[in-house]
Amino acid sequence: MSDLSAFAITRKWPARDPQRLQLYSLTTPNGVKIPIMLEEIGLPYEAHRVNFETNDQQSAEFLSLNPNNKIPAIIDPDGPGGKPLPLFESGAILIYLAEKTGQLLSQDPAERYQTIQWLMFQIGGIGPMFGQLGFFHKFAGKDYEDKRPRDRYVAECRRLLDVLDGQLEDRDWIMGAQYSIADIATFPWVRNLIGFYEAGELVEFERFANVKRVLENFLARPAVIRGLEIPKAP
């Protein structure tokens, strides 16, 4: 029987079943990566909503798990050696879950590292750049008369979409025929760019036919449909 009482975060978000993986997240592009992954691999888990409106991410309990105050984060009660493992950063969590279950990350060394390469492409490029464009296009950036910062991110987002579009030419998924953690990391951000950020016309999204095609296939997956709604709003 796992005991998670040593983790301060469980005082704010009690574990109903401490045998299950505990997920702390919200339905942002980074936040949905892990519930989508968990739905894909079928690993039992409990989802806890970290509410930004009440600054849950700044609470002492959440900071005890992730001092960087970002979602998602997890506690796996059955970590390496059978001991609980706390973990934050979506890319690290995706790799961990893939290796734990032997799913969605190739066992072939070359393909494994190429998959991680595209995961890093999302983490280092697509996520930060799409997020900056969202700021300057939809949020406080509108207060700036000088549009050069926004246009810089528009150009970079187009460039990244062009790179992704080229990779997807004649491919079902980023790595080819096999769906992987690279897709789970990438396509929530593409969805957010043209959806929540309302930047599809700005980046000329219709130009990127391969990205559009694979995004549609991604959003049709049952595990993705479920994962995009987790943690559910109260």
Side-chain angles (χ1 to χ4, degrees):
M1 187 74 171
S2 296
D3 181 6
L4 302 181
S5 62
F7 295 94
I9 196 167
T10 63
R11 294 196 285 273
K12 186 174 179 67
W13 291 279
R16 297 181 298 277
D17 183 351
Q19 304 303 309
R20 291 175 176 243
L21 183 144
Q22 304 294 307
L23 166 68
Y24 308 90
S25 197
L26 193 64
T27 52
T28 67
N30 281 333
V32 298
K33 293 176 187 175
I34 306 310
I36 289 172
M37 179 67 173
L38 290 165
E39 291 291 325
E40 292 280 7
I41 62 180
L43 194 65
Y45 69 101
E46 289 182 10
H48 305 279
R49 186 177 180 87
V50 181
N51 193 342
F52 288 178
E53 293 180 3
T54 53
N55 287 321
D56 282 350
Q57 76 277 18
Q58 299 286 359
S59 66
E61 293 88 352
F62 188 79
L63 291 171
S64 71
L65 181 60
N66 183 359
N68 195 34
N69 69 280
K70 303 293 183 182
I71 54 98
I74 66 168
I75 301 173
D76 182 2
D78 183 28
K83 298 179 180 179
L85 175 70
L87 202 59
F88 63 87
E89 286 295 332
S90 61
I93 298 170
L94 285 172
I95 294 171
Y96 169 71
L97 293 173
E99 293 185 339
K100 176 184 176 74
T101 62
Q103 298 183 61
L104 303 181
L105 181 60
S106 176
Q107 299 299 305
D108 174 76
E111 187 171 345
R112 179 179 183 275
Y113 282 109
Q114 287 171 346
T115 306
I116 294 173
Q117 161 189 271
W118 284 100
L119 173 64
M120 298 302 140
F121 172 77
Q122 182 278 304
I123 292 169
I126 283 179
M129 296 301 104
F130 286 17
Q132 292 291 346
L133 178 54
F135 172 84
F136 281 102
H137 177 58
K138 183 167 183 175
F139 297 111
K142 290 186 175 181
D143 297 334
Y144 293 88
E145 292 184 12
D146 187 346
K147 297 306 178 188
R148 285 176 295 179
R150 184 204 66 179
D151 292 344
R152 177 183 187 275
Y153 291 114
V154 169
E156 181 62 4
C157 289
R158 286 177 184 162
R159 188 190 72 80
L160 291 167
L161 285 167
D162 192 54
V163 173
L164 182 60
D165 201 70
Q167 175 66 11
L168 293 170
E169 183 74 33
D170 299 323
R171 291 170 178 257
D172 294 330
W173 302 104
I174 290 175
M175 290 306 300
Q178 299 301 315
Y179 178 74
S180 74
I181 58 173
D183 303 294
I184 293 174
T186 300
F187 287 103
W189 274 103
V190 178
R191 170 182 178 263
N192 208 64
L193 180 70
I194 64 174
F196 183 68
Y197 289 158
E198 302 172 348
E201 184 175 349
L202 196 62
V203 299
E204 301 175 340
F205 185 71
E206 294 299 320
R207 288 173 40 197
F208 307 104
N210 296 314
V211 177
K212 182 179 179 181
R213 165 181 54 84
V214 179
L215 174 64
E216 290 171 355
N217 292 338
F218 176 76
L219 294 175
R221 294 179 69 90
V224 172
I225 294 170
R226 295 191 299 270
L228 287 172
E229 301 298 324
I230 299 171
K232 294 185 182 297

